């Protein structure tokens, strides 16, 4: 049997970050995710689900100079 500690050693946490385009917000959210133990970050720049009207997700990712 594989021990719980051994299984936990192979688990990773990926934090998905999404906000409107404001460099300070992205920086703060990414730093908070990292401080909380995230091993990797997904910058959500392509989400089409209802956030475009708020300038988030897909709306943010479609503006080249924001990337």
């Amino acid at each position: 049997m594989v021990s719980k500690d051994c299984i936990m050693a192979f688990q990773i946490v990926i934090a998905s970050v999404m906000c409107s385009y404001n460099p300070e917000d992205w920086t703060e959210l990414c730093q908070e995710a990292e401080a909380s133990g995230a091993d990797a970050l997904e910058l959500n720049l392509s989400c089409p689900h209802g956030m475009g009207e708020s300038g988030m997700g897909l709306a943010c990712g479609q503006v080249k100079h924001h990337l």
Side-chain angles (χ1 to χ4, degrees):
M1 180 177 352
V2 178
S3 74
K4 181 179 177 183
D5 290 335
C6 182
I7 293 171
M8 293 297 288
F10 293 105
Q11 292 181 345
I12 61 170
V13 174
I14 301 172
S16 180
V17 179
M18 182 172 67
C19 58
S20 62
Y21 190 75
N22 177 335
E24 292 80 19
D25 290 347
W26 284 96
T27 300
E28 180 181 351
L29 289 172
C30 290
Q31 288 174 341
E32 288 179 10
E34 183 180 24
S36 296
D39 298 301
L41 300 173
E42 173 208 9
L43 303 182
N44 195 332
L45 299 171
S46 61
C47 183
H49 301 291
M51 299 306 284
E53 65 278 0
S54 299
M56 296 182 180
L58 186 61
C60 186
Q62 291 180 340
V63 181
K64 289 182 182 180
H65 69 272
H66 286 177
L67 305 174

